[in-house]
Every structure is written in structure tokens, then in C-alpha cells.
Amino acid sequence: MKFAHYSEKIFSEHLDLFNIQWIYEPTSFPLKWGRGAIKMMFTPDFYLPELDVYVEITTMNQNLITKKQKKIKLAKKLYPKSNFKLINESQFYNFLKSDNEILVKKAIAS
């Protein structure tokens, strides 16, 4: 599979390691409209069906973090029934371990 950024490839490998199902960029969420057209879209990097969460990966570049935080904030407001999470490369293991301990235990047991 071809990823937009190397960090996405690494994250997918972490998910595979823990036996967590994932789908790459399955959904695009319109965020802004104007003159009958969509002006801004948000396509999270991953969807984790077992957790029902969309995950956006970011590097440690502050400009990217700020931009992605704004998009996620708007997505949460427009799509309150969807779960969105922004994580950076250094948070991969923490995300998998602390937020999803049940899945990690399941993966270790299998």
C-alpha cells in the first residue's frame, strides 16, 4: 500500500503488530461549503473499526499540528457522532497501550 507519509506506514505497522484492524483514508468529511461546492475536506488517515475512531497522524511540525487540530475541532463540531483523534509519531505506542489496553491484551493473547 502506498501512504502519503512515512509516519502513516509506521503507524500501520504498529497496528498490524497489535493485530488491530485498520482502513486507510476510507472517509472524507466536508468541513466548509461555499457557492454550492465543498471548499474544505478532511480525510483522516485511518479508521479503526474495532474502536470506532478516525485517526489523523501528524509529525512534530507545529504548523501541521495547528492546522490539523483546527480541522479536527471543526470535524468534531460538524460530526459529533464520529470519534476523531490526532496523534504524532511519538504517541503511537501510548495510543495503543493506554487508550486501548483491551485490544493490546487481545493482540498479545492471539
Side-chain angles (χ1 to χ4, degrees), residues 18-31:
F18 286 99
N19 219 11
I20 297 171
Q21 294 178 357
W22 56 273
I23 305 167
Y24 184 66
E25 295 186 338
T27 309
S28 293
F29 296 90
L31 297 180

Side-chain angles (χ1 to χ4, degrees), residues 2-3 5 8-9 11-12 19 24 26 38 40-41 50 53 65 73 75 94 104 106 110:
K2 185 171 170 109
F3 294 98
H5 191 274
E8 296 171 357
K9 179 181 185 300
F11 186 66
S12 74
N19 219 11
Y24 184 66
I38 297 170
M40 182 191 296
M41 294 285 282
E50 292 174 87
V53 64
I65 292 170
K73 183 177 180 180
N94 288 341
V104 172
K106 176 186 149 195
S110 55

Side-chain angles (χ1 to χ4, degrees), residues 11-67:
F11 186 66
S12 74
E13 291 171 354
H14 283 74
L15 294 172
D16 289 344
L17 178 68
F18 286 99
N19 219 11
I20 297 171
Q21 294 178 357
W22 56 273
I23 305 167
Y24 184 66
E25 295 186 338
T27 309
S28 293
F29 296 90
L31 297 180
K32 290 188 180 178
W33 298 261
R35 297 186 184 194
I38 297 170
K39 298 293 185 185
M40 182 191 296
M41 294 285 282
F42 173 51
T43 304
D45 299 315
F46 294 91
Y47 177 66
L48 311 181
E50 292 174 87
L51 300 172
D52 189 28
V53 64
Y54 291 92
V55 177
E56 179 68 15
I57 305 297
T58 187
T59 62
M60 295 305 291
N61 179 319
Q62 190 57 51
N63 289 335
L64 281 176
I65 292 170
T66 301
K67 182 179 174 182

